[in-house]
Amino acid sequence: MIEWRRKGAAFALVRAWFLSAALIATLTPREVAAQSGPSGSPETDQSPASLRGGEIQLERCDRLPVIQVKIGSDEMRFLLDTGATSILNAKTFWSGKRKEVHIANWTGTTSTLAHEIAIEELSVGGRSLRDIKLSAIDLSPIAHACGGRIDGILGVDLLEQFGLTIDFAHNVARLGGEPAAAPASPVIVEMELAMSGCSEAFNRGDVGKLMECFDPEFVWDTPSVEFHGREQVVDFLAAHYFRSKSGAHFWMKVRDQQAVGNVIWTSYDFTIEGSGVHDSGRGMMICRKSEGQWHILSMHQSLDRPAAKCGQAE
């Protein structure tokens, strides 16, 4: 049995990540199929030679899912976590400016001190992202617990940018293309019904109702704007989108959804149209049910083109 004795925000994050990944790893094959897509026969050949184009064989650190990542010319081992944002292990990446960061995981959003690392190129399965910045904290407790090297965590923010979907039932990751269609799980249907009024509240410019959709520690970030706390976000939305009498309208097309317990992440395309406003792009949203209520924990969005600048809330 693993005992967690150390204290502090960073260690609490590590513990939450380990428990989240362990939850996924301990699902039965039927449960994994329900959470992650269509299942196959238990005898399915998963050797590298049997992989189809765009598929990447996953590895394991004990029972935790791991994927090979290349940073520059160096091969790295990253833990896969669809309920967290991406982060580096400070034991591997020890340089960089130290600053306070807000990191999302399946239990919520936590503040901690971390090193900010600039990465020129990060590649998975031959697909690359360039000029990105990631935070680094000590992830050695996870590595010690599973008995292998862990250089970082590949979370939903980078999974969405890579267009990477995870099939835990077949122990592979897939690049590109639309995810395989599967019936929505009951918990996803429940969440969609509970949150259906949120888009309507945005379209009406209903600030009070919109506030109820967000968790108190809600995090929203784009390449140019980052807010922490639902008050800041709602103030920004009111100033940016709700100023005109005609308001703005939000459309969202879901690309993929994954559920683990009462936590759901959604990858989507979006468009916002209004007077003098046209924003479109892709996003990732994490929702969680707590004390019988669904709230949006975080939204991470990238725009097809830079958004028009406007006053930013302090």
Side-chain angles (χ1 to χ4, degrees):
M1 179 181 292
I2 298 169
E3 295 185 4
W4 305 91
R5 300 183 181 276
R6 294 171 58 186
K7 297 181 179 180
F11 194 75
L13 279 170
V14 170
R15 181 178 184 274
W17 272 316
F18 184 87
L19 294 175
S20 175
L23 172 63
I24 295 172
T26 55
L27 293 174
T28 66
R30 184 178 297 275
E31 289 169 325
V32 170
Q35 305 287 5
S36 308
S39 63
S41 166
E43 290 77 29
T44 300
D45 183 4
Q46 297 179 354
S47 63
S50 72
L51 296 179
R52 293 175 293 177
E55 290 189 340
I56 304 165
Q57 185 70 58
L58 301 183
E59 302 176 7
R60 295 282 169 170
C61 186
D62 193 3
R63 299 190 67 183
L64 305 183
V66 172
I67 191 169
Q68 288 283 346
V69 172
K70 181 178 284 188
I71 295 183
S73 59
D74 297 324
E75 296 284 348
M76 304 280 181
R77 284 166 50 88
F78 275 46
L79 177 69
L80 281 168
D81 192 338
T82 59
T85 49
S86 301
I87 199 162
L88 305 172
N89 190 350
K91 295 295 185 181
T92 304
F93 302 87
W94 51 268
S95 61
K97 181 180 178 181
R98 194 168 173 83
K99 57 180 283 189
E100 183 180 27
V101 296
H102 301 266
I103 302 171
N105 61 76
W106 74 296
T107 65
T109 302
T110 305
S111 299
T112 188
L113 290 175
H115 295 283
E116 185 178 71
I117 308 297
I119 297 176
E120 292 185 4
E121 183 178 20
L122 187 150
S123 304
V124 174
R127 187 170 295 178
S128 299
L129 297 176
R130 297 180 183 275
D131 299 323
I132 61 176
K133 291 183 179 181
L134 294 175
S135 300
I137 67 171
D138 184 7
L139 299 179
S140 57
I142 296 179
H144 293 157
C146 72
R149 194 181 94 226
I150 297 294
D151 299 303
I153 293 174
L154 195 67
V156 286
D157 50 339
L158 293 188
L159 290 175
E160 192 274 334
Q161 291 185 57
F162 275 116
L164 197 67
T165 57
I166 311 303
D167 185 345
F168 290 112
H170 295 85
N171 203 42
V172 296
R174 295 189 178 95
L175 284 166
E178 293 292 337
S185 70
V187 69
I188 290 177
V189 173
E190 177 189 331
M191 181 275 292
E192 289 179 338
L193 287 173
M195 307 298 288
S196 61
C198 295
S199 293
E200 297 172 6
F202 181 95
N203 294 339
R204 294 195 309 268
D206 188 340
V207 172
K209 178 61 178 178
L210 202 57
M211 186 84 75
E212 296 175 3
C213 296
F214 300 135
D215 185 84
E217 302 301 321
F218 175 69
V219 175
W220 181 45
D221 71 74
T222 72
S224 59
V225 180
E226 182 174 331
F227 293 120
H228 303 276
R230 60 187 178 188
E231 290 81 6
Q232 281 193 351
V233 174
V234 170
D235 286 347
F236 174 80
L237 294 177
H240 189 51
Y241 295 114
F242 305 156
R243 289 179 299 176
S244 69
K245 292 182 179 180
S246 59
H249 289 267
F250 176 85
W251 291 273
M252 181 174 76
K253 177 184 177 182
V254 173
R255 299 177 62 88
D256 190 21
Q257 286 182 305
Q258 302 284 344
V260 177
N262 285 332
V263 178
I264 297 172
W265 71 264
T266 302
S267 172
Y268 59 90
D269 297 325
F270 74 93
T271 300
I272 302 175
E273 295 276 4
S275 177
V277 175
H278 176 86
D279 293 338
S280 63
R282 297 183 66 181
M284 183 281 298
M285 173 175 67
I286 300 177
C287 297
R288 181 182 64 180
K289 184 179 182 180
S290 178
E291 298 180 352
Q293 299 293 322
W294 283 98
H295 292 101
I296 305 173
L297 288 178
S298 64
M299 296 179 75
H300 307 268
Q301 294 182 168
S302 59
L303 297 176
D304 292 334
R305 60 177 179 78
K309 295 184 178 179
C310 69
Q312 177 175 330
E314 294 296 331

